[in-house]
Amino acid sequence: MTIDLKQYELWFVTGSQYLYGEQTLQRVEAQAREIASTLDEAGEIPVRVVFKPVLATAEGIRNLCLEANATPRCIGLITWMHTFSPAKMWIGGLAALRKPFVHLHTQYNREIPWATIDMDFMNLNQSAHGDREFGFLNTRLRLERKIVVGHWQDPAVCRAIGAWARAAAAWADWQGMKIARFGDNMRDVAVTEGDKVQAQITFGYDVYGFGVGDLVRAIEAVSDAEVDQLVAAYLEAYEVAPELRPGGSRHAALRYEARVEQGLRNFLESGGFKAFTDTFEDLHGLEQLPGLAVQRLMNDGYGFGAEGDWKTAALVRALKVMDAGWGAGVSFMEDYTYHFAEDGSDKVLGAHMLEICPSIADRSSKPRLIIAPLSIGGKSDPVRLVFDARPGKATVTSIVDMGQRFRMVVNTIEVVPLEKPLPQLPVARALWLPQPNLKIAAAAWMYAGGAHHTALAYAITTEHLRDFAGMAGIEFVLIDASTDLETFKDQLRWNEVYYHLKRGYAGG
């Protein structure tokens, strides 16, 4: 599955008015076109930036917003008020707009031309108060947006717009996205449950349930030639255990896993699914819990959640889209066990039974492809990739259903090398230092109701995630180096009040 962010567009929308005359509007358009072209060529912005004609009437604004709504490749707007654009003109358009937007507060000139500045220059370059007029209306309408302040040639401005663009691409990807759910949730587990109807209303994706027998039929339809092709790919890409190689005592298990991968891939592709779940408690007709198959599909860009966790499957897919072109690594993850160190450098060992994406693997060596027992599920030994996650700064993110709303919980972390080898642990794993430390981070995570399933990502920062949560209109809580536990608990209490009031707010 190829994720191509260049299929998407941000429309560069400039506001003005006819008060200043046609000549001024022509200069506004020329300068706006230049800015849009520069942003389009900026390497920090992964999508196309498309110039749109300057807007100076309420009718033109509304028509453009409706056009944006109806254009799938348009994932949002960059808005900028070059001159003073009376904001009442924007009410109808913004009320109709269904795409996210970023408010760029900039001006064409970088510096004041001290020796030549006159009132003609002042009338042309009015962003300083034109954008404030626009900002007031956005706030009055209670519109979620990101405000980026700075000169348009500043790399920091491009980076901020680029981060927002990646979030907008992931948000666009969620609209109409289909998630395949094989079986139900792991029985008696609370956090992987949730309101799928409300999720579709809030997030735009749909969760489809299938019996495992539907997947089994797809697996059985895979040809031996397809299996041969995948096995050859495994032998090339991984350090394959001798018993799994051709002629080895467990080679049949590897061939079966290849059949599962191809069958699962065919099922997802034919149905247009971008994410999926399974559960070890519902494997009727399968010989083993899919391991390698899930890892490779995630590596190709599919979202995944174990034990029926469709919320995390959707989240993994969103972060895969944000990571497109970078390939820094995103994986389904679970907090598994702790290392309470005598020196206070307490750590989390993250892993799962099988399903950790090799995109986060240490790239100094090939992942090992092994077969080992699985103590739960009641099936034959699954084949899986085993590796250590590479060191680096990262985030772990969870989306949970709080009953009245959804909450995104984020913790900044640093993945570190293993302190000692783990020769008896037959799963992929990541060891990390949570910020500010394990005691505060774990307590804050549990106060926030964060799940034990997460999405771990290296290049996706809190900026990307905050932007994404804003587009979704959901609560965002951050646990990072500056977190104070008592202040964090107060924030959760304040958020409860805010979101309770927001649900009942009628806009009066």
Side-chain angles (χ1 to χ4, degrees), residues 184-491:
D184 204 339
N185 294 82
M186 178 180 172
R187 290 185 280 276
D188 286 334
V189 176
V191 76
T192 53
E193 294 283 359
D195 187 337
K196 293 189 285 294
V197 173
Q198 189 58 48
Q200 187 172 356
I201 294 169
T202 302
F203 299 126
Y205 61 70
D206 196 2
V207 183
Y208 291 75
F210 295 96
V212 179
D214 296 320
L215 175 58
V216 170
R217 282 192 294 273
I219 292 170
E220 292 174 344
V222 173
S223 68
D224 289 342
E226 290 175 301
V227 171
D228 292 341
Q229 187 175 7
L230 272 178
V231 168
Y234 299 163
L235 295 171
E236 174 70 22
Y238 312 122
E239 182 186 324
V240 182
E243 63 269 25
L244 291 175
R245 301 180 71 87
S249 61
R250 309 298 297 276
H251 184 62
L254 181 64
R255 291 187 63 82
Y256 179 76
E257 187 68 17
R259 197 174 298 277
V260 170
E261 178 185 338
Q262 191 61 54
L264 183 51
R265 189 181 298 274
N266 292 345
F267 188 102
L268 296 174
E269 288 180 355
S270 64
F273 297 100
K274 297 178 180 177
F276 66 101
T277 73
D278 62 18
T279 174
F280 67 89
E281 288 187 324
D282 195 346
L283 298 174
H284 186 72
L286 293 175
E287 294 180 12
Q288 56 185 240
L289 176 65
L292 174 64
V294 171
Q295 292 176 296
R296 284 174 54 86
L297 285 164
M298 255 196 295
N299 195 57
D300 288 345
Y302 285 95
F304 173 76
E307 290 105 42
D309 188 353
W310 48 271
K311 295 188 295 298
T312 302
L315 179 61
V316 170
R317 168 64 186 185
L319 270 58
K320 291 282 187 183
V321 173
M322 294 185 209
D323 189 49
W326 286 340
V330 174
S331 180
F332 171 78
M333 186 56 69
E334 179 174 271
D335 297 67
Y336 228 101
T337 195
Y338 293 142
H339 178 66
F340 287 116
E342 290 186 1
D343 64 359
S345 60
D346 302 338
K347 302 176 183 69
V348 177
L349 182 64
H352 205 254
M353 295 182 292
L354 303 171
E355 310 96 335
I356 301 301
C357 180
S359 67
I360 71 169
D362 190 320
R363 295 168 183 174
S364 62
S365 60
K366 293 181 177 180
R368 293 183 297 122
L369 184 55
I370 70 166
I371 185 168
L374 186 66
S375 58
I376 58 178
K379 294 289 182 175
S380 62
D381 300 342
V383 176
R384 81 293 298 269
L385 292 172
V386 175
F387 53 83
D388 299 336
R390 66 183 177 279
K393 296 186 183 301
T395 53
V396 285
T397 305
S398 168
I399 290 181
V400 290
D401 186 341
M402 300 302 296
Q404 301 82 25
R405 67 185 184 281
F406 293 95
R407 170 182 285 167
M408 177 183 283
V409 187
V410 179
N411 187 200
T412 55
I413 65 172
E414 182 175 0
V415 181
V416 296
L418 299 180
E419 295 186 6
K420 296 180 180 179
L422 297 170
Q424 302 301 314
L425 186 63
V427 293
R429 54 276 181 136
L431 184 69
W432 68 79
L433 287 161
Q435 292 186 334
N437 56 58
L438 177 59
K439 291 182 174 63
I440 293 176
W445 191 272
M446 288 185 282
Y447 277 122
H452 57 282
H453 289 168
T454 61
L456 183 149
Y458 282 90
I460 308 307
T461 67
T462 57
E463 182 177 15
H464 299 94
L465 297 166
R466 191 185 297 274
D467 288 347
F468 188 80
M471 294 172 194
I474 64 172
E475 182 183 2
F476 176 90
V477 293
L478 174 63
I479 305 163
D480 64 3
S482 65
T483 297
D484 170 79
L485 196 55
E486 293 306 313
T487 302
F488 184 83
K489 288 161 65 178
D490 283 341
Q491 177 192 348

Side-chain angles (χ1 to χ4, degrees), residues 82-136:
H82 188 307
T83 61
F84 193 82
S85 180
K88 286 176 66 177
M89 295 193 305
W90 289 83
I91 292 175
L94 293 176
L97 184 65
R98 295 294 177 265
K99 299 290 177 74
F101 69 97
V102 57
H103 182 185
L104 174 59
H105 185 39
T106 190
Q107 62 186 26
Y108 180 74
N109 58 298
R110 182 182 290 275
E111 299 177 346
I112 294 174
W114 303 101
T116 60
I117 188 170
D118 57 16
M119 283 310 301
D120 288 339
F121 181 94
M122 296 281 275
N123 284 333
L124 176 64
N125 298 281
Q126 297 187 58
S127 301
H129 63 283
D131 276 326
R132 281 173 165 79
E133 165 78 353
F134 185 66
F136 161 75

